[in-house]
Each structure stands twice: as structure tokens, then as C-alpha cells.
Amino acid sequence: MNNNEINILVADDDKEIAQAIEIYLRNEGYRVFKAFDGLHALEICEKEDLHLIIMDIMMPKMDGIQATMRIREDKNIPIIMLSAKSEDYDKITGLNIGADDYITKPFNPLELVARVKSQIRRFTDLGCMAGIDRGTLITCGGLIIDNDAKRVVLDGEEVQLTPTEYGILKFLTENAGRVYSIGQIYEAVWKEPSYNAENTVTVHIRRIREKIEIDPKNPRYLKVVWGRGYKMEKQ
């Protein structure tokens, strides 16, 4: 898929920031839509075939957290959260409600573009867009990953995962029994060097557990190995 076929929504009530982001993304060949409040962002999501969203947290009418929660009800496209705040609380909140990545204002536009490229590459690789046909079934007990259809089924019930969650689960399931550090998981799934990745990976792991474990606090599949990392338990 060419960049000019990729649609990105930039949702930020600061019009100067939104326009600046638009310029950088258009220079990369992407098609850009802009929204200046959360409700307008939802309207664009309903009308357009989007492949990525850059979502500011603080916006009028509906903030980015609420908008992301609404979008996640039926869409799994990558979402990068923006915020003027640097506290871990905001980052963890964004990740908890379904964001795939997080960047704090003020930011280097080149870093944002790199994050966008990384998310789109992973989104494409995970087969969420047409044209991907690879892989076979990956099984672990009652967990089945259909890598051709990019579907996850647990005990006969389909599990809805975001592209990032899918990537982590697939990586660990393919390597069931092996322990991976947070840095190794990040580099394997995000395809970039690990830097301050602990919160990001930990929150995604927790979300996956909530979706595949009967008792997330006493997991059957996705287990922590204290001081070393995480592993998918062989069944």
C-alpha cells in the first residue's frame, strides 16, 4: 500500500499544531483529515476509511480519552495519543483505554512521523488492511491465532484485540515457554529500539490478560516471571 492510499486523522483543538502535523504527514505522502474536537473526530471516523489516528487528550465537546473509548468499541486502527502533560498517569490512562502509542507535547515532528510510520507498518504487517496472506494457525491450549485472517479465538469465542495487542500475543504464543524481557518484547513487536518501554508494554500485557484470562490475577496463559519478563505458558 502506497502512502497516498493511507488516511490519517489528526484530532487536536490547537489548529496550529494540527496544521503543522498535517504538513509533515502530507510531505510523507499521507492523506490527512483534521478534527478540532472529539465529536468531530468521531464523525470523521464514521465517514472515512482511516488507517491511523493522532488524538489529543484535551479537546472541547469530547476529550480524547472519551473519543478513543468510543472508537475502540468497533475499530482497531492504531491510535497515537498526544498530551501537553508528561505524567505517567496520562500515559497509562491513554494506553488503558486502547491507545497504541503516546507522545508528549512539545514533541519533535520527526519523532512523531517515525512513530506514525512504525504504527502503520505494524498495522499493515498484522493484516488489518487487504492484501496480507501469510502464516498458519498458532495454538496454545484453547487459544487459537489464525494468522491468515488475523483472528484470535479462545475456547470457541473470538477475542477482539488491537493491532499492538495482537502483535504481542502472537509473538509470545509463537515462542511459548520462552521468557522475554520488556525490552525484547517491545523491539520484537514495535520493530524499533526499546527506550522507556516499561509502562507501554506492561499496560498492553494487562489489557491482553483481561481479554484472554478467566482470572487475570491468576493467569493460565500469559505469565510474569519476576525480575525477567513475560512468557506464554505452554499448554
Side-chain angles (χ1 to χ4, degrees):
M1 176 173 286
N2 297 324
N3 283 5
N4 58 14
E5 298 176 285
I6 294 174
N7 300 325
I8 298 177
L9 169 62
V10 178
D12 195 317
D13 63 323
D14 188 324
K15 295 184 178 181
E16 290 186 1
I17 290 178
Q19 289 168 355
I21 294 173
E22 178 184 23
I23 290 171
Y24 278 94
L25 294 178
R26 287 192 182 278
N27 285 343
E28 295 293 328
Y30 300 121
R31 296 180 61 198
V32 180
F33 299 86
K34 296 195 299 294
F36 303 119
D37 62 71
L39 289 179
H40 189 201
L42 291 182
E43 292 174 3
I44 294 175
C45 283
E46 292 298 321
K47 294 178 181 177
E48 304 295 340
D49 181 21
L50 299 175
H51 303 107
L52 183 137
I53 300 171
I54 298 172
M55 180 79 74
D56 186 36
I57 288 181
M58 299 301 294
M59 289 189 295
K61 297 184 180 179
M62 177 182 289
D63 64 32
I65 297 293
Q66 292 176 301
T68 296
M69 291 175 67
R70 291 278 296 276
I71 291 167
R72 277 289 177 255
E73 290 176 1
D74 59 5
K75 297 182 186 295
N76 284 327
I77 58 177
I79 298 176
I80 300 175
M81 302 293 291
L82 296 179
S83 175
K85 300 178 181 179
S86 59
E87 289 86 352
D88 282 345
Y89 172 79
D90 297 291
K91 179 176 183 177
I92 292 172
T93 299
L95 295 172
N96 269 331
I97 53 89
D100 294 280
D101 203 352
Y102 185 100
I103 193 165
T104 303
K105 299 177 184 177
F107 53 83
N108 183 333
L110 297 180
E111 180 185 359
L112 178 61
V113 170
R115 300 279 190 94
V116 167
K117 289 180 178 179
S118 176
Q119 289 292 334
I120 289 176
R121 182 173 62 248
R122 187 159 72 255
F123 187 48
T124 305
D125 287 346
L126 293 180
C128 295
M129 289 186 258
I132 302 297
D133 182 17
R134 71 177 86 152
T136 56
L137 291 181
I138 306 165
T139 62
C140 185
L143 183 71
I144 301 173
I145 300 175
D146 182 348
N147 198 41
D148 286 330
K150 303 303 180 244
R151 294 173 65 243
V152 175
V153 176
L154 178 65
D155 297 331
E157 297 286 335
E158 185 165 358
V159 180
Q160 297 297 325
L161 300 176
T162 69
T164 303
E165 292 165 358
Y166 180 93
I168 293 172
L169 184 64
K170 175 176 175 290
F171 171 69
L172 292 176
T173 306
E174 283 179 320
N175 299 282
R178 295 183 60 182
V179 179
Y180 290 91
S181 69
I182 284 175
Q184 289 173 320
I185 294 170
Y186 187 91
E187 292 179 359
V189 176
W190 273 257
K191 308 296 185 186
E192 61 188 31
S194 171
Y195 179 72
N196 290 334
E198 183 170 352
N199 280 336
T200 300
V201 173
T202 300
V203 170
H204 281 89
I205 292 285
R206 184 166 70 246
R207 290 216 315 259
I208 295 170
R209 277 178 166 171
E210 290 171 351
K211 295 179 179 182
I212 70 169
E213 302 286 1
I214 295 175
D215 180 3
K217 294 182 179 179
N218 185 28
R220 171 188 174 188
Y221 291 99
L222 190 44
K223 297 194 174 184
V224 63
V225 180
W226 295 109
R228 295 176 59 194
Y230 295 95
K231 70 173 181 176
M232 177 64 70
E233 190 74 71
K234 286 186 175 180
Q235 303 296 316

